[in-house]
Structures are given as structure tokens and as C-alpha cells.
Amino acid sequence: MTDARAPFRGWRMVGICFLILNCTLGVNFAAYGALVEAIERAYSTSRALASMGISMVTLALGLLAPMVGTLMRRYPVRLVVMAGLVLNAGGFFLLAIAPEIAVFLALCLLLIGPGFALAGVVPCTAIVSDWFVEGRGRTLGIINMPFGNALMPLAAAWALVRHGLPVTLMAGGALLLALVPLAALLVEAPARPEQAGADPAGAMTSAQILKSRPFLVVTIGVTLLSAAGIVMVTHLIALATDRGMPLGAASTLLSLFGLAGLAGAPLFGWIADRIGGGRAFAVLALGQIVPWVALVFVGANIPALLACAFAIGLCCNGVLTLFGVTMGAWLGQANLGLGMGLCYLLQIPVMFAAAPLAGAMFDRFGSYTPAIALHVATFVAVGLMFLLYRPRAEPSIEMHHVI
């Protein structure tokens, strides 16, 4: 039973999760791009193998994310996150002394990826979502503002130039380890009455979630929208340089794409609070159609490309916020962690195929136009799906705290 006299600690959880999520995403993903050439030189390997570390982390995340949801039901969330941070940090310390690229990639798969799965998106989203009922979209938007993605590549590049690759990797591990005392302050929200869509009594099994139509709708939408984001991150610079734009100017497009997330994540959280996660997903999907189509026609016009990159980044960086809001609303908070984990598992084939497929289409047709047309078609389909579909019974959840 909830103690009405207990202080509300939800905003403290928002602050802690904001720091943990930004640092884990920044160190594990955003900073890696600044290290690819150094990894290639250090191990005398190919660019493809040097770039594969992120793929290994992504693979581990997809395979283990369902387990994270299960662990969060059995153990205090602070222990799950603390274990993840220790595992993640240990992986980076060992990367600094990895003797060959095969060992480097194995560490990414076996230590760094599992550590990120335990400490990153799934637990942070579940903690904050459980503390807030009203304003849930806004708070999830706050923790997903990608400051880490904007700052970590710059910090990694600075450390790499001055101290070399091993020290840079160890610095990443040290930062992750420094978060452990902060994670020890994480606490679950006090228990409250809750109805979960398909099972009003509470938690659903993995089989029940996988058979749930709301889960499948969210998974299809998130997967297709995330695939478009991966394609944009991977190919935006190549698209611009292929049109004759200098590399420096082309890199600015990707930076602006990332910075747009500082506005996009809270913006779509705010929209979700007002019209619901499903309709907000429809706005996000349909809102990308114009800037993606414009990419076909603007050529090498730098201002126009910058505008397109910002508009697309605004939408792409709102996907994670709406993922947490909609999954929690449609499945019930008791099933959020496991639902997100199962979704990540099902995403693996599409996430791996998205960027190579776009590259193969470019090789075949000599242009990114067919790939752009394919993604625009998915935006139309996803937008209509979220506009037309509604769960049969939206969960009715008592307000835990008036914001």
C-alpha cells in the first residue's frame, strides 16, 4: 500500500536515468564512430571489421533484452543496472588490451552488449515510466534527449588525439564505472492498482505478449521507423558527398540530425501526453514523408539538405520516447520491460539488413531514390496503421502523482 507521506522521488529518478542513459548510449554507440579509423589502424584490419563493434553490441542487445525484462521482475532494478554498468565498464577496460580484432569483437558481443542491455534503454524507460502516469511522455522525452550522442564523439576524438586508443577506451570504462554509485540510488515506484490491457490481473508471460495485437502493432511500427533512422545515420553523408558536397559540410548534416533529437524527444513526448502514443506515432511517421521526399529533389543545395536533416532528425529521435509511452499504455506498466525486450529481439533481422539493403539498392540503381521511396512507403503504412488501430481496452491506470 502506498504511503501518502512518502516523498515523491520520480523527478530524482528522471535525473539519474537521464545521466545513465546518455552516458551509456554515448559511450557505447555515439563515441564509437570517432574510433573506427583508429581501431582499423591498431589491428591492421578492414573498415568493415573495425565498424562491426556496434553491430555486435546491437546483436547482444536484441538477444538479451527480453531477459532484462524478466530480471527486472525478479530483482531490484538498481541491482540490474549496477551489474550492467560493471559488465559494460569491464568490457571497455579489456578492449584496451585486446590483442586482435577477433577478441575485440568478441568482447563487444559478450561483455559490452550485455552490459548495455542491463543498464540502458529498457530499465531506464521502465523506471521513469512507472513513476509517472500523467506527463509520462514528457518525462520519457527528457531522459531520451541525446546530449550524450552530441558530446561523446567530440570527447572521444579529443582523447584519441591526445592519449591514443587504449586510454580512450579505458576512459569510457571509467565513466561507466563512475555511474555505479548513482545507479545504487534507483528505486521502483510504490505499488499502485493497475490494469494491464490483455491481462487485468497484471503481468503477462512472454507468450501472451508475443500473441498480443497491441504488442505486434507497436513492434512493426518501431521496427520500420528505427530502420529508417539507421539508414539515415549510415548513408546521409554518402548521399551528400555523392552529389558533390564537401565532406566537412556533409558531416554537418549528420551532426544536425543528431542535435535535432534534443528537441524531437521531448516534443513527441509532449504530443503523446496530449493525443496518446499511437496517434503521436502517426504524426511522427507521416511527418517524415515531406523531408524524405525532398531529399530526392534538392540536389546539393546545402540549406535545403540541412532543413531536411533537421526535420528527419526531429522525428527519428522521437521514436524511442514513443516506444516507451505506447508500449506501457497498451500493454500495462507491468509488461513494459519485457515487452520492450521482446520487441528488440524481433527487430534484429531488420536492423541488420536496413543499412546494407540501402547500399545494395544504391549499387543496383546508382541512386538513393529507390531506397528513399521504400522508406516513404513504410511511413505511409505505419502512419495509417497507428491512425486506424486502437487496442480494444486502453488500460485505466490510477494517477500516482499529480504533476
Side-chain angles (χ1 to χ4, degrees), residues 191-402:
R192 62 178 180 269
E194 181 176 6
Q195 294 177 340
D199 181 8
M204 301 162 64
T205 65
S206 294
Q208 288 173 326
I209 291 175
L210 288 170
K211 294 177 183 177
S212 165
R213 188 172 297 175
F215 167 79
L216 294 175
V217 169
V218 174
T219 297
I220 291 170
V222 169
T223 300
L224 293 176
L225 293 171
S226 298
I230 288 176
V231 168
M232 188 55 55
V233 169
T234 306
H235 293 281
L236 180 59
I237 292 178
L239 180 148
T241 54
D242 184 60
R243 296 178 180 182
M245 183 180 292
L247 180 59
S251 300
T252 304
L253 295 176
L254 194 56
S255 297
L256 189 61
F257 173 90
L259 289 173
L262 300 180
L267 171 64
F268 280 99
W270 177 84
I271 293 173
D273 285 339
R274 279 149 183 79
I275 64 175
R279 289 186 176 89
F281 258 130
V283 172
L284 185 148
L286 298 175
Q288 293 190 75
I289 293 174
V290 170
W292 273 77
V293 171
L295 287 175
V296 176
F297 300 103
V298 297
N301 185 300
I302 293 179
L305 283 171
L306 288 170
C308 290
F310 182 84
I312 294 170
L314 201 69
C315 295
C316 286
N317 285 286
V319 171
L320 196 55
T321 298
L322 296 186
F323 184 14
V325 171
T326 311
M327 190 71 80
W330 286 8
L331 290 186
Q333 286 304 114
N335 304 302
L336 174 59
L338 184 55
M340 290 185 72
L342 291 169
C343 181
Y344 277 119
L345 177 63
L346 296 179
Q347 285 181 15
I348 291 175
V350 177
M351 295 300 101
F352 262 78
L357 177 60
M361 294 177 77
F362 177 84
D363 292 337
R364 171 66 177 81
F365 299 102
S367 166
Y368 280 107
T369 298
I372 290 171
L374 175 62
H375 286 289
V376 168
T378 67
F379 299 149
V380 173
V382 169
L384 292 176
M385 178 180 69
F386 278 115
L387 279 177
L388 298 175
Y389 176 75
R390 288 292 171 271
R392 281 183 291 181
E394 288 283 355
S396 175
I397 304 173
E398 292 187 10
M399 186 170 64
H400 175 62
H401 182 73
V402 178

Side-chain angles (χ1 to χ4, degrees), residues 51-264:
S51 304
M52 200 173 287
I54 289 182
S55 296
M56 295 296 102
V57 174
T58 303
L59 176 61
L61 172 62
L63 292 174
L64 297 177
M67 183 190 71
V68 177
T70 301
L71 289 174
M72 289 172 59
R73 290 180 174 181
R74 297 181 180 178
Y75 302 101
V77 69
R78 67 178 181 276
L79 296 182
V80 175
V81 176
M82 290 168 69
L85 290 170
V86 171
L87 197 63
N88 204 182
F92 273 92
F93 290 136
L94 291 175
L95 283 185
I97 58 173
E100 58 186 52
I101 191 63
V103 175
F104 189 98
L105 295 177
L107 289 169
C108 289
L109 178 65
L110 301 176
L111 287 181
I112 292 176
F116 176 74
L118 290 169
V121 176
V122 174
C124 287
T125 300
I127 294 165
V128 170
S129 185
D130 204 35
W131 271 99
F132 290 85
V133 177
E134 276 204 3
R136 181 175 290 153
R138 176 177 57 175
T139 53
L140 290 179
I142 290 172
I143 69 167
N144 284 299
M145 293 174 67
F147 280 97
N149 287 350
L151 297 177
M152 290 299 175
L154 300 176
W158 179 88
L160 186 64
V161 170
R162 287 161 179 76
H163 304 290
L165 181 62
V167 172
T168 302
L169 292 169
M170 286 190 287
L175 176 58
L176 294 167
L177 200 60
L179 295 171
V180 173
L182 194 63
L185 301 177
L186 290 170
V187 293
E188 292 90 344
R192 62 178 180 269
E194 181 176 6
Q195 294 177 340
D199 181 8
M204 301 162 64
T205 65
S206 294
Q208 288 173 326
I209 291 175
L210 288 170
K211 294 177 183 177
S212 165
R213 188 172 297 175
F215 167 79
L216 294 175
V217 169
V218 174
T219 297
I220 291 170
V222 169
T223 300
L224 293 176
L225 293 171
S226 298
I230 288 176
V231 168
M232 188 55 55
V233 169
T234 306
H235 293 281
L236 180 59
I237 292 178
L239 180 148
T241 54
D242 184 60
R243 296 178 180 182
M245 183 180 292
L247 180 59
S251 300
T252 304
L253 295 176
L254 194 56
S255 297
L256 189 61
F257 173 90
L259 289 173
L262 300 180

